[in-house]
Amino acid sequence: YADQVRHFFEKDAQLTRYFHDTLANGKWNHLMAQTHIGYTSWNNPPVNKMPAVAYLQLPERAVLGYTVEHGSRGRRPGTGLYARRFPTFDQLNDQAYYVEIFNGGKAPLDYTISTPQEWIKLSATAGTVTFEERVYVSIDWEKAPQESTAGELVIAGAGRRFTVAVPIRTAPTDASGFLENNGVVAIEAAHFTDKKETPAVSWVVVPNLGKTKAGVTVSPANAERQQPATGAPSLEYTFTLFEAGDLEITTYLAPTLNYQKNEGLKFAIAVDDEAPQIINLHEGEDQPDWEYPEWWNKSVTDHIKLKTSLHQGIGEGSHRLRVWMIDPGVVFQKFVLDRGGVKASYLGPPESKVMAQE
């Protein structure tokens, strides 16, 4: 791929010269002269700059390496025995995670992957790798123990042997709604369990208004400000936690400007019967008008606003996430409930599995 980058960078220059010097006897000379490779900001770079590439000198022998999907970090291949863990499997989410076997050398790598537990299922038990391949791991829940425990995988090849833990857990028996998966619940705003409206204000789902699904806002857009109370327009989402703990909830919102020029557009949020927390979409955005402040750059480049709220001591089991309208113009896109498991990503975690309702 590094060679291809170099090749096509030169090919681009050849095409530009042909366009200027040869095509129609040079009629379009200079028309393609603006630099166009190597942008890092709004302005074009002074010259075309090829993206950085790197060449590696690999050992002639095969070298066994692996990485676990969402797993904890380990040491580099070749530095001795080390253990890693898969995320925890549970019967309700019925996860399948991969372990990626990769070759750190030039010779083909023969590997085996095995487990002493009959309840651990593998998509492959051996293979030969030139670069890398994935083996998927899942659980046969009919054979799995009833209590929370851990099995293991043994990965071997090229004179190396590694052990990876495969933990499983029991899930709450009263689960409902969106299910926690390893410390995370992610909910698209359009998938509410219930909604409350008034004769003057209703909720509207706008398809494709959002980074991953849709937007939810109120109509009309000039509705009167509300107070979070029993009769105020609200949305509810049912979810289940597998362990008790504090929750940090991140609300994904469309980057609406403070068009009313008041103290900011607001909404309220709570878990179960908590007192509603008032969230100001525009808190801290009072920088001078002649500057492009960081909040504005972030809103424009990412096309999203993220607002967080902390909810303490939320117990194991089923709960309700409640969101109230205060100001019109607030557009909800997604809610991410973090009990300590959220990984860094651009779009946030994918939506959680929903417990089927009988």
Side-chain angles (χ1 to χ4, degrees), residues 192-203:
F192 44 81
T193 307
D194 193 13
K195 66 178 179 178
K196 292 182 172 58
E197 300 175 330
T198 70
V201 181
S202 60
W203 291 101

Side-chain angles (χ1 to χ4, degrees), residues 305-348:
K305 279 184 180 291
L306 305 180
K307 305 299 291 187
T308 61
S309 55
L310 181 63
H311 306 260
Q312 297 180 320
I314 308 302
E316 174 188 322
S318 182
H319 300 277
R320 290 179 302 157
L321 173 64
R322 308 172 71 188
V323 181
W324 289 269
M325 171 223 171
I326 294 181
D327 288 305
V330 177
V331 182
F332 302 99
Q333 295 186 12
K334 187 175 183 178
F335 304 95
V336 175
L337 289 63
D338 181 16
R339 199 177 49 75
V342 170
K343 310 288 185 181
S345 64
Y346 185 65
L347 293 176

Side-chain angles (χ1 to χ4, degrees), residues 18-29:
Y18 173 83
F19 196 95
H20 290 167
D21 303 336
T22 305
L23 182 65
N25 295 317
K27 177 180 180 179
W28 308 110
N29 190 23

Side-chain angles (χ1 to χ4, degrees), residues 176-180 185-187 191 238-240 351-354:
S176 60
F178 293 90
L179 301 174
E180 176 192 340
V185 182
I187 305 171
H191 295 160
T238 303
F239 67 95
T240 295
E351 188 171 40
S352 298
K353 184 175 180 179
V354 178

